[in-house]
């Protein structure tokens, strides 16, 4: 993979952040839930909490990448439809490919946004393969719903499928870990028949949320049987339920698989204040999961994925970046200026939440459901990986 960037000559940092003001300013419309501005607010928080400009950090702009790279996953005809969509002139073929819907509107600059966002993820994969980074975080990547020949779920190009495919062509073993509230059906479909990509997703059950799939019984196909792992949770599940299932399944499977690179989607939409999800996570459970992911592989390619409470998502990503870099946030402005410059006053005093614990019958149901999911995987998936 070939890219040009003014930083290429001196890339020596271990922790790489992909960011572009232009991408963060892209607008899908006032009523659309997907707000790229989350990334700009994250950058403000990273600066406020003294989490930038360490010697082992590097900030790069994504930039576009060769269109031919997309052909390793995407259908050429679909890409032509996507390129032509914003030029005007509606066709039924576009609608059949998921373009022009409420979820995936066609807006000016769409092709460039998609190419640059995907370019950040794919460039990050190349840097990891070349040994010029330990962690690459692209907050404006992680479009895990996009299919080979269609758009869905706010996702037009599946940057993850493209990047993972390119890495596996180098002989790289990939563990994909998705903690977004929505099941990454596009990535699942790309790799369900392969044994060199372990796909693990913990998400709200498809019984209550889009894309209405990702059930525990789906463990892959053919040679890939046992390499698709789904941990659906009941709506209402809190930190304790989430972490209990996550810690029981993810570390043992990843350690048995022994990946060369972990690719992660760290959507902030599991948070209890998210606008589209129905789980009850706080920053406590989220940060714990991030720290576990950080310790599972010597190399990490991380993408932002979902998150529809803009401030909360930016705060969670800030905590994630701190964890990847081994830093502790320190508020450089504490006691000096009001928090309204950075977010709602009630939220901006700290990146971290107070604990929140679900109780009563709901907690019992959520806990029992999660235990059933874990037991199913222990019985049907763990033996495939030699775990007793």
């Amino acid at each position: 993979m070939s890219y040009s960037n003014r930083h290429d000559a001196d890339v020596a940092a271990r922790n790489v952040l992909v960011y572009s003001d232009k991408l963060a300013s892209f607008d899908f419309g006032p009523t659309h839930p997907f707000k790229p501005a989350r990334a700009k607010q994250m950058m403000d928080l990273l600066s406020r909490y003294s989490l930038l400009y360490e010697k082992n950090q590097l900030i790069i702009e994504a930039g576009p990448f060769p269109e031919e790279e997309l052909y390793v996953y995407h259908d050429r005809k679909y890409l032509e439809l996507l390129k032509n969509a914003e030029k005007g002139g509606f066709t039924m073929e576009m609608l059949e490919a998921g373009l022009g819907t409420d979820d995936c509107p066609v807006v000016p600059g769409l092709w460039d946004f998609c190419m640059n966002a995907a370019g950040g993820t794919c460039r990050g994969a190349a840097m990891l393969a070349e040994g010029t980074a330990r962690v690459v975080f692209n907050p404006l990547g992680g479009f895990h719903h996009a299919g080979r020949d269609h758009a869905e779920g706010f996702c037009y190009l599946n940057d993850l499928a493209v990047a993972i495919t390119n890495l596996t062509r180098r002989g790289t073993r990939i563990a994909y870990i998705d903690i977004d509230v929505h099941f990454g059906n596009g990535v699942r479909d790309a790799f369900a028949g392969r044994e060199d990509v372990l796909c693990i997703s913990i998400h709200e059950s498809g019984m209550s949320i889009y894309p209405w799939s990702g059930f525990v019984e789906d463990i892959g196909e053919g040679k890939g049987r046992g390499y698709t792992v789904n941990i659906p949770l009941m709506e209402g599940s809190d930190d304790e339920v989430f972490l209990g299932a996550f810690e029981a399944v993810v570390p043992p499977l990843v350690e048995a698989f022994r990946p060369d690179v972990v690719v992660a989607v760290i959507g902030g939409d599991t948070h209890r204040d998210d606008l589209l999800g129905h789980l009850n996570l706080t920053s406590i459970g989220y940060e714990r999961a991030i720290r576990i992911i950080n310790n599972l592989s010597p190399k990490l390619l991380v993408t932002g994925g979902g998150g529809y409470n803009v401030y909360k998502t930016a705060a969670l990503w800030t905590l994630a970046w701190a964890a990847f870099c081994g830093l502790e946030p320190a508020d450089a402005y504490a006691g000096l200026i009001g928090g309204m410059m950075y977010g709602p006053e009630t939220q901006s005093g700290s990146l971290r939440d107070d604990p929140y614990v679900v109780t009563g019958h709901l907690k019992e149901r959520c806990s029992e459901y999660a235990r059933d999911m874990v037991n199913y995987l222990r019985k049907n998936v763990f033996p495939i990986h030699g775990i007793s």
Side-chain angles (χ1 to χ4, degrees), residues 158-173:
N158 197 319
D159 56 321
L160 297 155
V162 174
I164 291 171
T165 299
N166 279 322
L167 284 170
T168 59
R169 289 186 170 191
R170 297 173 180 254
T172 306
R173 288 171 64 82

Side-chain angles (χ1 to χ4, degrees), residues 41-301:
Q41 189 149 40
M42 179 200 73
M43 293 299 287
D44 291 344
L45 290 171
L46 291 176
S47 178
R48 172 178 177 170
Y49 286 91
S50 305
L51 297 169
L52 292 177
Y53 311 119
E54 298 288 320
K55 288 184 179 180
N56 67 339
Q57 293 177 337
L58 183 67
I59 302 173
I60 64 171
E61 289 194 10
F65 67 115
E67 184 181 325
E68 310 86 68
E69 296 286 352
L70 296 173
Y71 301 152
V72 301
Y73 174 68
H74 281 291
D75 178 76
R76 188 183 298 260
K77 183 178 179 181
Y78 167 66
L79 295 178
E80 290 300 319
L81 288 173
L82 180 58
K83 276 194 295 184
N84 292 329
E86 64 179 290
K87 296 178 181 178
F90 173 81
T91 68
M92 285 304 298
E93 275 189 306
M94 291 177 184
L95 187 60
E96 290 168 359
L99 301 172
T101 64
D102 289 342
D103 278 1
C104 296
V106 174
V107 293
L110 178 62
W111 174 254
D112 284 343
F113 173 83
C114 292
M115 285 296 286
N116 280 274
T121 303
C122 291
R123 180 160 188 232
M127 293 178 72
L128 292 170
E130 293 158 3
T132 54
R134 187 194 80 84
V135 175
V136 180
F137 178 31
N138 178 18
L140 285 170
F143 297 98
H144 57 174
H145 298 305
R148 188 179 304 276
D149 59 358
H150 68 277
E152 65 170 284
F154 314 157
C155 302
Y156 302 80
L157 295 179
N158 197 319
D159 56 321
L160 297 155
V162 174
I164 291 171
T165 299
N166 279 322
L167 284 170
T168 59
R169 289 186 170 191
R170 297 173 180 254
T172 306
R173 288 171 64 82
I174 303 294
Y176 170 81
I177 303 173
D178 193 331
I179 64 170
D180 194 280
V181 78
H182 301 97
F183 169 56
N185 53 325
V187 175
R188 179 268 174 211
D189 291 347
F191 303 107
R194 297 178 59 161
E195 57 187 347
D196 55 346
V197 181
L198 173 66
C199 288
I200 306 176
S201 178
I202 183 167
H203 49 266
E204 183 180 336
S205 171
M207 294 292 291
S208 57
I209 201 170
Y210 168 88
W212 321 112
S213 54
F215 299 109
V216 71
E217 295 85 3
D218 177 8
I219 61 172
E221 307 163 356
K223 291 182 178 179
R225 183 171 173 79
Y227 293 84
T228 293
V229 182
N230 292 313
I231 315 168
L233 301 176
M234 269 189 60
E235 56 182 319
S237 295
D238 61 7
D239 289 332
E240 183 181 14
V241 174
F242 179 95
L243 288 173
F246 185 87
E247 293 181 358
V249 174
V250 179
L253 282 176
V254 174
E255 289 165 8
F257 183 72
R258 300 178 63 84
D260 301 305
V261 173
V262 166
V263 178
V265 179
I266 59 168
D269 44 10
T270 52
H271 195 277
R272 62 185 304 262
D273 291 338
D274 193 77
L275 304 179
L276 299 185
H278 312 106
L279 298 184
N280 275 315
L281 266 69
T282 70
S283 63
I284 298 168
Y286 182 90
E287 192 173 10
R288 172 63 181 162
I290 292 296
R291 293 186 182 279
I292 292 171
I293 292 170
N294 189 44
N295 291 328
L296 285 176
S297 174
K299 293 182 178 181
L300 286 168
L301 176 61

Side-chain angles (χ1 to χ4, degrees), residues 1-24:
M1 300 168 69
S2 59
Y3 302 89
S4 60
N5 185 284
R6 62 189 176 88
H7 296 286
D8 283 349
D10 62 351
V11 172
R14 287 164 55 83
N15 305 314
V16 179
L17 180 62
V18 184
Y19 177 75
S20 162
D21 273 332
K22 181 179 179 181
L23 286 186

Side-chain angles (χ1 to χ4, degrees), residues 238-388:
D238 61 7
D239 289 332
E240 183 181 14
V241 174
F242 179 95
L243 288 173
F246 185 87
E247 293 181 358
V249 174
V250 179
L253 282 176
V254 174
E255 289 165 8
F257 183 72
R258 300 178 63 84
D260 301 305
V261 173
V262 166
V263 178
V265 179
I266 59 168
D269 44 10
T270 52
H271 195 277
R272 62 185 304 262
D273 291 338
D274 193 77
L275 304 179
L276 299 185
H278 312 106
L279 298 184
N280 275 315
L281 266 69
T282 70
S283 63
I284 298 168
Y286 182 90
E287 192 173 10
R288 172 63 181 162
I290 292 296
R291 293 186 182 279
I292 292 171
I293 292 170
N294 189 44
N295 291 328
L296 285 176
S297 174
K299 293 182 178 181
L300 286 168
L301 176 61
V302 185
T303 60
Y308 306 99
N309 179 317
V310 172
Y311 179 80
K312 283 298 184 184
T313 299
L316 293 175
W317 287 348
T318 299
L319 290 171
W321 177 249
F324 295 140
C325 297
L327 300 173
E328 178 59 30
D331 190 348
Y333 299 95
L336 298 178
I337 59 175
M340 285 302 290
M341 291 184 66
Y342 293 92
E345 187 74 37
T346 57
Q347 297 177 320
S348 60
S350 173
L351 295 172
R352 296 185 170 99
D353 305 313
D354 293 331
Y356 179 82
V357 179
V358 173
T359 59
H361 185 55
L362 176 60
K363 182 60 169 278
E364 293 174 4
R365 291 176 58 222
C366 290
S367 298
E368 182 179 1
Y369 190 87
R371 283 194 298 269
D372 288 345
M373 300 302 103
V374 170
N375 288 336
Y376 181 93
L377 294 171
R378 282 176 171 159
K379 179 179 179 180
N380 294 281
V381 172
F382 277 31
I384 295 174
H385 297 271
I387 305 171
S388 57

